[in-house]
């Protein structure tokens, strides 16, 4: 089929390349000329497993073409995916200005029947809104249908999820569009949920919201564990044996981050408010996460009482391992709090990017974890990168001025902590050690 994907960001790029792999001809339209140049040269614009190979192969077999030419993209295609950014404002409302811009740009080129699909996460009601906009822009009624087809891609595993995901959700109010979408997704052999647009739009939010609820709930139980002497990992294991609960997304830590959970939970709270239908559990989930992500600073202050001029090492800056994404990472909030208290911050992350150096130009960036630990008064583990699991605790103990470890991801072994004579160790729900 002939497909156009608008936006070569995270979702758009993966969507374009994965459809290209399934015998489709894809045109990916991107207005950022720098990004475009990189992609045309076969250079990935994001760090994602398998992306480099897939991009190069797509260019070699010409299954995907990158361009800034909207007219070419729209006129050559039967299905058009909108995959532009939909950020939340400070008041938690979703900003769909980029979607609006796309509708206005593409309207003049919808010269015959096309299916327009929202791939970006958009507020409930956006499919209806887009239909009205097209009609206002004089696009003939019979020339288009609008479909909601949200993505469920995990960063780092996005290509895998595209080909082997658990579900494909298609929200349509036209049989013709539904048939086109079914044909497009048939080769993927993934269970399809066919429904109306509002349900599809809400499935996306509910999915991310429920996973966030699970995490925040486990984080609260973890905090209780530390008070009563219970172990959160054993609790999570036991709960996970119950098929009704599932073992996934029960890992306690310093909260969720990334481009989806923080944004989508807030957006859904706001959407529900707009309909006078408060989602109290979700609001609490957001609050718990905001407290949880700065918990290490509270622990540090309880330990030292006065933290000014202390040196604190941060291990891990990205919101999760195996990505270079720092969006809404707990590390950002922790560093901000530490700087407010005049703490000297050193940081190490295997994927440290220019982006974080722009946010915090004045902290010290280390080139390896031991260099980061040297002469520090405490370390906060913010991301569970695999290299941190194997940290040599004897060496850490020697290098640090005071070996205080705040393990925000529960990755260290308490027996080894004791063996290495670490001065203080704090976990999230697995107990603390003071020597
Ligand atoms: C998520 C969804 O999984 C995906 O389906 C959606 O479309 C986009 O958002 P992603 O943001 O890539 O994907 O990350 P994910 O691996 O789901 O983790 C999200 C956050 O939750 C991370 O900060 C992670 O550290 C945290 N998390 C996850 C926990 O704290 N505990 C867990 O048990 C699982």
């Amino acid at each position: 089929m002939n497909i156009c994907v608008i936006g070569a960001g995270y979702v758009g790029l993966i969507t374009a390349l994965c459809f290209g792999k399934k015998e489709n001809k894809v045109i990916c339209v991107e207005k950022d000329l720098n990004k475009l140049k990189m992609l045309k040269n076969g250079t990935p614009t994001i760090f994602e497993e398998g992306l480099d190979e897939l991009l190069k192969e797509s260019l070699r077999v010409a299954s995907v073409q990158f361009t800034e030419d909207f007219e070419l993209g729209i006129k050559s295609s039967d299905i058009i995916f909108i995959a532009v950014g939909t950020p939340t404002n400070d008041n938690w409302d979703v900003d769909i200005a980029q979607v609006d811009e796309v509708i206005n740009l593409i309207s003049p080129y919808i010269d015959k029947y096309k299916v327009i699909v929202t791939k970006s996460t958009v507020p409930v009601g956006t499919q209806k809104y887009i239909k009205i906009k097209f009609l206002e822009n004089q696009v003939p009624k019979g020339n288009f249908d609008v479909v909601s087809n949200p993505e469920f891609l995990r960063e780092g595993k996005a290509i895998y999820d595209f080909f082997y995901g658990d579900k494909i959700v298609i929200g349509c109010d036209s049989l013709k569009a539904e048939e086109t979408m079914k044909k497009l997704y048939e080769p993927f052999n993934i269970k399809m949920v066919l429904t109306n647009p509002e349900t599809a739009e809400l499935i996306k939010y509910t999915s991310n919201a429920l996973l966030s609820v699970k995490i925040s709930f486990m984080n609260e139980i973890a905090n209780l564990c530390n008070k009563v002497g219970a172990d959160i990992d054993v609790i999570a294991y036991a709960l996970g044996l119950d098929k009704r609960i599932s073992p996934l997304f029960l890992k306690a830590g310093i909260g969720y981050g990334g481009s989806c959970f923080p944004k989508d939970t807030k957006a859904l709270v706001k959407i529900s408010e707009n309909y006078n239908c408060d989602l109290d559990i979700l609001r609490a989930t957001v609050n718990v996460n905001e407290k949880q992500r700065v918990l290490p600073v509270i622990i540090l202050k309880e330990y030292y009482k006065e933290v000014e001029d202390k040196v604190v090492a941060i291990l891990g800056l990205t919101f999760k391992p195996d990505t270079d994404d720092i969006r809404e990472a707990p590390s950002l909030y922790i560093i901000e709090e530490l700087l407010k208290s005049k703490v000297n911050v050193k940081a190490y992350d295997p994927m440290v990017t220019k982006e974080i150096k722009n946010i915090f130009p004045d902290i010290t960036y280390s080139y390896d974890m031991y260099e980061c630990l040297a002469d520090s008064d405490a370390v906060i583990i913010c991301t569970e990168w695999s290299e941190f699991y194997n940290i040599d605790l004897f060496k850490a103990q020697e290098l640090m001025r005071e070996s205080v470890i705040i393990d925000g991801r529960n990755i260290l072994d308490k027996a080894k902590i004791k063996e290495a004579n670490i001065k203080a160790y704090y976990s999230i729900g697995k107990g603390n050690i003071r020597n």
Side-chain angles (χ1 to χ4, degrees), residues 365-381:
Y365 293 93
S366 305
Y367 53 83
D368 83 15
M369 67 173 152
Y370 295 110
E371 205 249 336
C372 187
L373 293 177
D375 299 322
S376 63
D377 297 297
V379 54
I380 302 173
I381 301 174

Side-chain angles (χ1 to χ4, degrees), residues 84-331:
V84 292
T86 50
T88 34
N89 293 330
D90 287 345
N91 66 359
W92 300 9
D93 271 323
V94 184
D95 175 4
I96 59 161
Q98 292 183 52
V99 175
D100 264 332
E101 192 189 327
V102 166
I103 298 166
N104 292 334
L105 278 168
I106 69 178
S107 291
Y109 309 125
I110 305 181
D111 50 3
K112 60 180 173 53
Y113 179 76
K114 295 177 194 298
V115 178
I116 320 292
V117 188
T118 51
K119 201 61 168 153
S120 317
T121 305
V122 290
V124 183
T126 301
Q127 183 266 3
K128 261 203 187 97
Y129 170 83
I130 294 177
K131 276 169 73 173
I132 295 169
K133 290 290 277 188
F134 278 135
L135 294 174
E136 281 173 5
N137 287 351
Q138 317 293 328
V139 181
K141 201 165 175 253
N143 273 10
F144 71 93
D145 274 313
V146 183
V147 172
S148 163
N149 171 222
E151 52 82 19
F152 301 92
L153 309 173
R154 291 165 301 167
E155 284 189 26
K157 296 277 174 268
I159 295 172
Y160 175 89
D161 285 349
F162 206 99
F163 290 124
Y164 307 104
D166 302 320
K167 60 187 176 295
I168 288 162
V169 174
I170 297 170
C172 281
D173 51 12
S174 129
L175 273 180
K176 192 173 172 187
E178 190 175 290
E179 282 313 311
T180 310
M181 294 301 287
K182 272 161 69 178
K183 201 167 140 211
L184 174 68
Y185 277 112
E186 231 153 50
F188 289 85
N189 210 8
I190 299 175
K191 186 142 194 90
M192 289 188 216
V193 179
L194 304 170
T195 182
N196 66 28
E198 290 73 22
T199 309
E201 289 165 342
L202 196 52
I203 286 173
K204 168 66 199 233
Y205 280 110
T206 310
S207 171
N208 280 349
L210 184 58
L211 293 171
S212 305
V213 169
K214 267 182 114 174
I215 297 169
S216 274
F217 185 70
M218 289 307 279
N219 284 341
E220 280 203 305
I221 299 291
N223 297 340
L224 179 63
C225 281
N226 271 0
K227 307 258 184 220
V228 301
D231 184 324
I232 191 65
D233 279 353
V234 181
I235 293 180
Y237 171 72
L239 295 185
L241 294 175
D242 187 329
K243 288 186 191 62
R244 296 168 302 175
I245 296 177
S246 130
L248 304 175
F249 283 77
L250 296 179
K251 186 96 186 80
I254 48 169
Y256 57 78
S259 63
C260 289
F261 287 4
K263 166 169 103 70
D264 293 350
T265 44
K266 288 178 180 170
L268 187 53
V269 167
K270 200 61 204 266
I271 291 166
S272 70
E273 256 178 37
N274 295 342
Y275 286 89
N276 254 333
C277 182
D278 270 355
L279 295 181
D280 292 338
I281 293 174
L282 196 56
R283 188 182 284 282
T285 297
V286 174
N287 289 341
V288 168
N289 197 57
E290 291 185 353
K291 279 198 278 177
Q292 194 71 8
R293 64 191 180 193
V294 290
L295 184 61
V297 182
I298 293 168
I299 295 172
L300 184 81
K301 287 184 174 170
E302 267 171 23
Y303 182 86
Y304 275 118
K305 310 294 181 255
E306 186 43 72
V307 293
E308 192 172 331
D309 292 331
K310 294 282 180 212
V311 177
V312 172
I314 303 287
L315 290 187
L317 295 165
T318 52
F319 83 97
K320 67 174 187 180
D322 307 318
T323 173
D324 62 353
D325 197 342
I326 54 163
R327 282 177 287 179
E328 291 293 319
S331 66

